C-alpha cells in the first residue's frame, strides 16, 4: 500500500530477495537430502540459506517498526483530534479505531518476525553466549506459526458472507 515510501519499498524488496534466495537454497537442500542430487558443498549452502533468511527477517522487522511508528502516530493524532474538537465525532472515532487495528496487525506481524529470528540465529551459531538453544528456537518458531495462523484467519470466523 505504501509503495511510494522509499524505506518500505527498499525493505520489501530486500525482504523478498532474502526469502526468495533462502527458499531456493532450501529447495536445493531438500533435493540433495532426498537423493535426487549430490552436492559436496551442501553445508555451506545451508549456512548461506540461513543468512538470506536472516536478511529477510531483518528487513521485515525494519518495515514493521517503520509501519508501527506510523500507525502509532496516526492513532495519537486521531485521539488528540477527538479530545480537542468533538468527543462524539464519528469520523474521528473511526480513524482512531482503524489506527488501533493497524497497530494490532503490524505489532503481531513484528512479533511473528521476532519469534522467527532465533531459528536462523541458532542454526548459524550467531549471538555467542546469547545464541538461542534449539528448544527455544523451536518454541518461538511454533509461536510464530500460531501468530501467522491468527493473522491469516478471517475476521468473520471463516463464515462466508452473503
Amino acid at each position: 500500500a505504501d509503495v511510494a515510501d522509499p524505506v518500505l519499498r527498499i525493505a520489501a524488496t530486500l525482504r523478498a530477495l532474502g526469502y526468495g534466495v533462502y527458499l531456493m537454497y532450501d529447495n536445493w537442500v531438500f533435493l540433495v537430502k532426498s537423493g535426487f542430487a549430490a552436492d559436496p558443498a551442501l553445508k555451506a549452502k545451508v549456512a548461506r540459506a540461513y543468512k538470506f533468511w536472516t536478511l529477510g527477517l531483518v528487513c521485515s522487522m525494519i518495515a514493521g517498526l517503520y509501519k508501527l511508528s506510523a500507525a502509532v502516530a496516526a492513532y495519537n493524532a486521531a485521539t488528540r483530534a477527538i479530545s480537542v474538537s468533538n468527543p462524539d465525532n464519528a469520523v474521528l472515532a473511526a480513524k482512531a479505531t482503524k489506527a488501533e487495528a493497524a497497530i494490532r496487525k503490524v505489532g503481531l506481524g513484528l512479533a511473528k518476525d521476532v519469534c522467527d529470528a532465533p531459528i536462523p540465529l541458532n542454526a548459524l551459531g550467531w549471538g555467542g553466549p546469547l545464541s538461542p538453544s534449539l528448544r527455544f528456537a523451536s518454541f518461538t518458531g511454533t509461536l510464530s506459526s500460531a501468530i501467522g495462523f491468527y493473522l491469516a484467519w478471517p475476521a468473520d470466523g471463516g463464515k462466508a458472507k452473503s
Side-chain angles (χ1 to χ4, degrees):
D2 298 312
V3 181
D5 192 315
V7 172
L8 293 177
R9 188 175 59 241
I10 291 168
T13 301
L14 290 174
R15 185 193 83 226
L17 180 68
Y19 287 159
V21 174
Y22 162 73
L23 289 172
M24 180 188 69
Y25 278 117
D26 196 48
N27 283 317
W28 178 250
V29 169
F30 172 76
L31 290 174
V32 171
K33 296 264 182 171
S34 298
F36 292 108
D39 190 352
L42 184 65
K43 190 172 182 178
K45 288 184 176 140
V46 168
R48 201 171 300 135
Y50 282 123
K51 288 175 185 174
F52 276 103
W53 186 7
T54 304
L55 171 69
L57 285 171
V58 167
C59 291
S60 184
M61 286 184 224
I62 289 169
L65 287 170
Y66 191 81
K67 288 178 185 176
L68 187 62
S69 68
V72 167
Y75 176 76
N76 288 339
T79 54
R80 272 194 301 274
I82 289 171
S83 62
V84 170
S85 64
N86 182 4
D88 297 327
N89 189 331
V91 173
L92 293 175
K95 282 183 181 179
T97 303
K98 184 178 177 183
E100 239 177 50
I103 290 170
R104 189 175 309 111
K105 183 178 179 182
V106 171
L108 282 171
L110 191 56
K112 180 182 176 311
D113 290 335
V114 169
C115 287
D116 272 338
I119 300 166
L121 293 178
N122 179 50
L124 291 167
W126 290 354
L130 299 176
S131 186
S133 69
L134 182 58
R135 285 185 182 156
F136 180 73
S138 299
F139 171 73
T140 59
T142 303
L143 190 58
S144 169
S145 295
I147 293 170
F149 183 72
Y150 175 80
L151 287 172
W153 193 260
D156 63 357
K159 299 174 189 157
K161 293 182 181 181
S162 49

